[in-house]
């Protein structure tokens, strides 16, 4: 559990920040007649802290802006460092969300920089080309030597695709092993488990449906064992479900500030949440073979490509057909996945968060790769037991 020293100021600010955020979520849902923004996710899709930090009743956005201003003032008295950096980034993110919920039109650039907390630009071509080169080498190592890179990626995925009848058993076996490793290396998850729920016609690949105890899986796509393993790690162990279990217990015991209850918020915290998920396989040391290495590198390529494509689509004004061609030629993704990325990017509120996967993954990966073995426990405590923006997480020092 977290070992950082918490002051009364930390606890009070965490309490107020959490109340403000969940109050904003509830206000937005009421004003939009219960439908929430766009796809019903709202500002905080999953909240386990109602008994710890109940939602205040805000009657209008003026009350929200008043509390935002008060918390801005209080944050100025926090010592420079990761906590202050996170509070500054989170308050900017919430202020931007409030402006959007009020109906203000913001550019895609403003949403990326102020709401998500990431640079408003495509991932560099050099990074994408480097990832393609690594995939090329790994595929050759696995025996896929003839044809273009796109052809070899498609052939590798088709050869390894799990038959429909085998999805459930494979999911359960992977989840059992992921939980065993998570219990040993991250956090004891007890008797928590998830069922596989196959869905179609959705813009996502998989989703943590925590309250229903299900991992929703888009079976319009096909999956290799390595791909399904990644999704289990991202959505369940040691990803989203594990973070929810950890943060609820830590807040309840007073071992973390109450704002850890905001781990699912569609705000600047979303980057690190997705980073934990995308680094999940690495966090529990579960790269077994070349096929796992191929998929994890391919996942990074697709995350980078989707981030760039969203910018081209919503920031640079490319047509959807041109964006689809870019994704096809750059990421070698399945057509259903490409359509989902284009659809996701077009959402007014959720769309910019497509970039949270790449930037969150890079933040968590960068810190994970630079720590020494004796710093791992402190890193896990910081990663799961504190809320972070990418900027504040990169300031980690054990």
């Amino acid at each position: 559990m977290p070992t950082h020293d918490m002051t009364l100021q930390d606890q009070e600010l965490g309490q107020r920040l959490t109340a403000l955020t969940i109050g904003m979520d509830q206000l937005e849902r009421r004003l939009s007649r219960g439908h929430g923004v766009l796809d019903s996710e709202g500002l905080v899709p999953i909240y386990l802290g109602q008994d710890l930090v109940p939602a205040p009743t805000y009657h209008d956005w003026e009350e929200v802006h008043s509390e935002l201003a008060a918390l801005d003032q209080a944050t100025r008295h926090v010592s420079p460092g990761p906590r202050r950096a996170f509070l500054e980034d989170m308050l900017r993110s919430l202020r931007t969300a409030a402006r959007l919920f009020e109906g203000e039109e913001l550019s895609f650039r403003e949403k990326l920089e102020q709401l998500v907390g990431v640079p408003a630009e495509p991932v560099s071509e050099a990074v994408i080309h480097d990832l393609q080169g690594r995939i090329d080498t790994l595929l050759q190592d696995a025996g896929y030597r003839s044809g273009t890179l796109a052809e070899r990626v498609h052939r590798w995925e088709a050869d390894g695709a799990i038959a429909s009848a085998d999805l459930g058993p494979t999911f359960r076996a992977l989840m059992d092993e992921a939980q065993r490793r998570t219990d040993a290396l991250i956090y004891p998850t007890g008797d928590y488990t998830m069922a596989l729920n196959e869905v179609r016609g959705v813009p996502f690949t998989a989703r943590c449906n925590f309250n229903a105890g299900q991992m929703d899986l888009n079976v319009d796509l096909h999956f290799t064992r390595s791909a399904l393993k990644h999704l289990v790690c991202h959505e369940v162990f040691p990803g989203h479900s594990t973070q929810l279990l950890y943060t609820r217990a830590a807040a309840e015991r007073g071992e973390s500030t109450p704002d850890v209850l905001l781990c699912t918020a569609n705000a600047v915290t979303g980057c690190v949440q997705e980073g934990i998920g995308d680094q999940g396989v690495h966090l529990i040391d579960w790269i077994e073979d070349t096929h796992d290495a191929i998929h994890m590198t391919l996942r990074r390529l697709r995350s980078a490509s989707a981030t760039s494509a969203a910018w081209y689509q919503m920031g640079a004004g490319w047509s959807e057909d041109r964006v689809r061609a870019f994704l096809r030629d750059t990421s070698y993704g399945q057509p259903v996945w490409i359509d989902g990325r284009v659809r996701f990017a077009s959402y007014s509120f959720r769309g910019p968060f497509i970039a949270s996967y790449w930037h969150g993954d890079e933040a968590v990966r960068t810190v994970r790769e630079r720590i020494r073995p004796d710093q791992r426990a402190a890193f896990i405590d910081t990663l799961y037991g504190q809320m972070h923006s990418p900027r504040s997480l990169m300031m980690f020092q054990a």
Side-chain angles (χ1 to χ4, degrees):
M1 281 297 184
T3 55
H4 63 286
D5 293 330
M6 288 184 295
T7 65
L8 187 60
Q9 180 189 45
D10 286 331
Q11 289 285 1
E12 181 185 349
L13 282 174
Q15 183 90 8
R16 290 176 63 185
L17 180 63
T18 306
L20 167 65
T21 307
I22 196 65
M24 287 175 60
D25 174 83
Q26 295 302 302
L27 176 62
E28 190 277 331
R29 290 175 190 272
R30 286 199 309 275
L31 295 182
S32 59
R33 295 180 175 81
H35 296 295
V37 281
L38 297 164
D39 54 354
S40 301
E41 275 204 350
L43 182 60
V44 187
I46 306 170
Y47 183 63
L48 303 184
Q50 190 59 46
D51 59 327
L52 300 176
V53 185
T57 300
Y58 292 122
H59 297 94
D60 55 44
W61 292 106
E62 283 303 311
E63 292 180 76
V64 168
H65 285 293
S66 177
E67 179 63 358
L68 279 165
L71 283 172
D72 267 337
Q73 186 63 37
T75 296
R76 295 192 181 99
H77 300 291
V78 176
S79 299
R83 181 64 174 169
R84 178 165 170 171
F86 163 68
L87 291 169
E88 290 171 345
D89 293 348
M90 184 65 170
L91 290 170
R92 182 183 64 247
S93 183
L94 292 177
R95 189 177 301 106
T96 307
R99 292 167 62 193
L100 288 167
F101 293 158
E102 288 179 285
E104 186 174 344
E105 294 288 334
L106 297 179
S107 68
F108 198 67
R109 173 181 294 278
E110 289 172 303
K111 293 175 188 177
L112 285 168
E113 293 176 343
Q114 298 175 28
L115 177 66
V116 187
V118 300
E121 60 190 18
V123 177
S124 76
E125 291 183 5
V127 167
I128 288 175
H129 290 159
D130 177 66
L131 290 167
Q132 290 170 330
R134 293 189 208 179
I135 292 166
D136 184 9
T137 300
L138 287 165
L139 283 170
Q140 291 188 51
D141 291 344
Y144 291 82
R145 300 187 177 93
S146 63
T148 66
L149 182 55
E151 290 168 343
R152 284 180 285 143
V153 167
H154 295 321
R155 194 162 68 249
W156 174 78
E157 289 193 309
D159 288 349
I162 303 169
S164 178
D166 295 331
L167 272 175
T170 305
F171 168 80
R172 287 189 291 274
L174 289 169
M175 188 176 63
D176 287 347
E177 178 61 14
Q179 186 167 27
R180 187 189 70 77
R181 288 172 175 267
T182 297
D183 289 351
L185 295 171
I186 306 291
Y187 176 73
T189 57
D191 59 1
Y192 183 82
T193 189
M194 268 198 163
L196 182 66
N197 180 43
E198 299 183 10
V199 296
R200 293 185 180 274
V202 294
F204 56 82
T205 301
R207 182 175 63 180
C208 172
N209 193 345
F210 185 87
N211 292 331
Q214 298 176 160
M215 188 185 95
D216 298 334
L217 184 70
N218 182 358
V219 293
D220 289 331
L221 297 159
H222 57 257
F223 303 93
T224 63
R225 180 180 181 276
S226 297
L228 190 58
K229 174 198 283 192
H230 161 69
L231 293 173
V232 167
C233 290
H234 185 111
E235 308 295 345
V236 194
F237 305 119
H240 298 339
S241 291
T242 303
Q243 191 180 11
L244 282 159
L245 295 169
Y246 187 112
T247 52
R248 165 67 203 198
E252 189 172 31
R253 290 198 281 255
E255 294 169 343
S256 294
T257 54
D259 49 284
V260 293
L261 294 164
L262 301 174
C263 66
T264 72
N266 286 317
V268 73
T269 50
C271 282
V272 177
Q273 178 202 13
E274 302 301 353
I276 289 172
D278 274 350
Q279 284 290 300
V281 169
H282 299 287
L283 289 169
I284 57 174
D285 192 22
W286 202 15
I287 299 290
E288 297 177 87
D289 53 27
T290 301
H291 294 290
D292 282 353
I294 290 170
H295 176 74
M296 295 308 289
T297 311
L298 190 57
R299 182 202 56 73
R300 288 188 68 211
L301 173 64
R302 288 173 175 167
S303 180
S305 299
T307 297
S308 293
W311 172 255
Y312 295 141
Q313 179 180 342
M314 304 305 299
W318 284 18
S319 70
E320 290 188 1
D321 284 346
R322 186 180 178 189
V323 172
R324 285 189 178 90
F326 169 81
L327 285 169
R328 183 187 65 239
D329 297 340
T330 304
S331 71
Y332 323 121
Q334 297 172 47
V336 171
W337 177 83
I338 290 173
D339 286 343
R341 294 301 90 182
V342 172
R343 183 175 160 192
F344 187 170
S346 69
Y347 290 166
S348 176
F349 180 74
R350 283 285 289 139
F353 286 96
I354 208 166
S356 67
Y357 294 87
W358 171 258
H359 290 285
D361 182 46
E362 287 298 280
V364 176
R365 180 189 64 81
T366 299
V367 179
R368 178 185 63 79
E369 290 181 350
R370 80 175 183 219
I371 61 170
R372 304 186 308 268
D374 63 304
Q375 295 176 314
R376 178 181 163 83
F379 170 59
I380 294 300
D381 284 348
T382 297
L383 187 62
Y384 284 81
Q386 299 176 30
M387 281 296 93
H388 280 286
S389 63
R391 179 169 73 109
S392 70
L393 181 64
M394 293 291 284
M395 299 167 74
F396 169 78
Q397 292 183 350

